[in-house]
C-alpha cells in the first residue's frame, strides 16, 4: 500500500457526503447542480481508487454503513437512494 491510499479513500467519502449535502433553497429534495457534480466526482474518485487499489468492497460497505446510520438517526432524505 502506498501513502496516497488514505487520500483516495477520503476523497471518495468527501465527494459522497458533499453530494448528499442539502441545499436550503431546494425544499422538495430534487437534485441540484452541485449534488450532480459531486455525485459524478464521487463516481470518478471511486473508479480511480478501484483501479489503483482494488479495495472497492471497503468503500461500498462504508457508504452502506453511512446510509444505514443516516436512516437510523432519522436523517434520511430522497437524495439518499438516488
Amino acid at each position: 500500500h502506498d501513502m496516497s491510499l488514505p487520500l483516495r479513500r477520503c476523497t471518495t467519502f468527501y465527494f459522497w457526503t458533499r453530494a448528499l449535502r442539502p441545499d436550503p433553497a431546494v425544499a422538495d429534495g430534487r437534485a441540484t447542480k452541485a449534488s450532480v457534480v459531486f455525485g459524478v466526482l464521487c463516481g470518478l474518485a471511486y473508479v480511480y481508487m478501484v483501479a489503483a487499489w482494488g479495495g472497492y468492497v471497503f468503500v461500498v460497505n462504508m457508504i452502506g454503513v453511512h446510509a444505514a446510520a443516516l436512516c437510523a438517526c432519522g436523517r434520511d432524505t430522497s437524495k439518499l437512494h438516488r
Side-chain angles (χ1 to χ4, degrees):
H1 297 282
D2 59 308
M3 294 305 292
S4 67
L5 175 62
L7 177 63
R8 288 192 297 259
R9 204 173 8 197
C10 288
T11 301
T12 304
F13 293 137
Y14 173 75
F15 288 146
W16 163 255
T17 56
R18 283 299 307 251
L20 292 177
R21 181 178 286 180
D23 184 357
V26 179
D28 61 357
R30 60 187 152 85
T32 62
K33 183 178 179 180
S35 67
V36 171
V37 168
F38 282 113
V40 169
L41 288 173
C42 177
L44 292 173
Y46 176 73
V47 167
Y48 173 66
M49 187 173 59
V50 168
W53 179 39
Y56 59 91
V57 174
F58 173 77
V59 176
V60 169
N61 288 339
M62 288 307 296
I63 288 175
V65 167
H66 181 253
L70 288 175
C71 290
C73 293
R75 298 203 46 172
D76 56 326
T77 64
S78 63
K79 293 174 102 177
L80 190 58
H81 53 79
R82 276 191 217 152

